Amino acid sequence: MARQDLGRKSLLLLGSTWFGSALGMLVSILIARTLGPEAVGSIGFSMGVVGLIMAALLPGFAQAHLKRLAEGQDPGRCLGTMLTVQLALDLLLLAALGVAWAVTGFSPWGQLVQVFACMLGAQLATGFADIYLKVFLAREWVVPYAMILLVARATRLVSTVLVLAWAPHITWVAGTFLLEGLTALAGAALVLAARHGIGPRMPTAESFRGYWRFARPFLVTTPIALFQDSVDRVVVGRWAGLTAAGYYHVARALWEALSS
């Protein structure tokens, strides 16, 4: 019976992952058909740059978070510990970006910079959402986990269609990615609090040490994996141009939908 239950949960996770990838591919095609490949290229290029930045920001604490939860540790304490770590890393990242901005004297607030800001915000929001979502995975609450992800992705699809219909501009389209991350974050936090009474608790020195002990071996492997996942978008956009990057982004979205 437990084996059948595991099979159903695995199938549900597989279906939700594939359907989410398919929705992402559909969004990319809609943007490309309405705003052109260059607009999609700016999104893909910005996602790649953000991915390279995040490669230096996430040295294995996400894996440590899932491990501690799966071990049966207090989920509230785990949430508090990981949220504190994530917030500290994000603030460090934003401070470094601010220093780089001031040193380089890069002042124009152009379209590509606006898209990058939206993609960065979306990645940060998704990172916080993942902290809550890992509680669902560790407790094998697969149905709410899948529903939260699909609702967030469907929210981006609907908002993208509305933007393309009434205010077709790439910055507004990029803002829908941020909306997806915030929707997932709000949904996961609300479901955990309302249905399971789980919320963040104050971390302790021991909880920080436990996370660090497990995250330490991933200080090299995790950044390398994130770098490999993002560097192709940056290379295509930098040396082939945003139009070519747009075609590449759509093709990659199709591949991810098929490979999932």
Side-chain angles (χ1 to χ4, degrees):
M1 186 69 178
R3 188 175 300 173
Q4 293 177 352
D5 186 56
L6 179 61
R8 286 194 295 267
K9 291 177 179 178
S10 300
L11 186 61
L12 180 59
L13 281 176
L14 175 65
S16 63
T17 300
W18 183 87
F19 191 64
S21 298
L23 287 180
M25 179 192 67
L26 179 59
V27 169
S28 297
I29 293 175
L30 287 174
I31 298 172
R33 293 295 299 270
T34 305
L35 300 179
E38 184 175 350
V40 182
S42 66
I43 290 178
F45 178 76
S46 298
M47 289 177 64
V49 175
V50 170
L52 293 181
I53 294 173
M54 301 304 288
L57 185 65
L58 299 174
F61 286 104
Q63 292 90 332
H65 181 51
L66 182 58
K67 178 180 183 294
R68 299 292 284 177
L69 288 167
E71 289 174 342
Q73 299 291 327
D74 177 19
R77 187 82 67 194
C78 291
L79 284 175
T81 303
M82 188 60 200
L83 286 171
T84 303
V85 171
Q86 186 74 48
L87 181 60
L89 291 173
D90 290 348
L91 290 176
L92 182 63
L93 168 67
L94 294 176
L97 290 176
V99 171
W101 187 290
V103 170
T104 59
F106 187 77
S107 58
W109 184 249
Q111 178 176 287
L112 188 58
V113 177
Q114 295 173 14
V115 173
F116 168 79
C118 290
M119 292 297 105
L120 179 61
Q123 186 62 50
L124 296 180
T126 300
F128 280 105
D130 190 59
I131 294 173
Y132 287 91
L133 288 170
K134 277 185 167 50
V135 179
F136 293 91
L137 285 179
R139 295 295 186 268
E140 297 185 14
W141 298 331
V142 177
V143 174
Y145 173 84
M147 291 302 299
I148 290 169
L149 289 181
L150 290 179
V151 167
R153 184 58 58 90
T155 299
R156 177 156 69 92
L157 173 62
V158 172
S159 59
T160 299
V161 171
L162 293 176
V163 167
L164 294 177
W166 280 287
H169 192 277
I170 186 58
T171 302
W172 289 104
V173 170
T176 63
F177 287 79
L178 175 58
L179 178 61
E180 178 185 359
L182 293 175
T183 301
L185 172 59
L190 289 174
V191 170
L192 281 179
R195 293 190 58 182
H196 306 287
I198 297 176
R201 295 181 60 195
M202 287 295 295
T204 64
E206 178 56 35
S207 67
F208 283 124
R209 283 194 293 267
Y211 272 63
W212 171 246
R213 281 194 299 267
F214 188 78
R216 192 167 46 192
F218 292 92
L219 289 175
V220 176
T221 57
T222 298
I224 289 176
L226 293 172
F227 177 85
Q228 292 175 333
D229 186 61
S230 302
V231 68
D232 55 338
R233 301 180 192 269
V234 177
V235 170
V236 174
R238 176 64 180 82
W239 279 279
L242 293 181
T243 300
Y247 287 107
Y248 179 80
H249 182 74
V250 174
R252 176 168 166 164
L254 175 60
W255 167 249
E256 289 174 349
L258 294 174
S259 62
S260 66

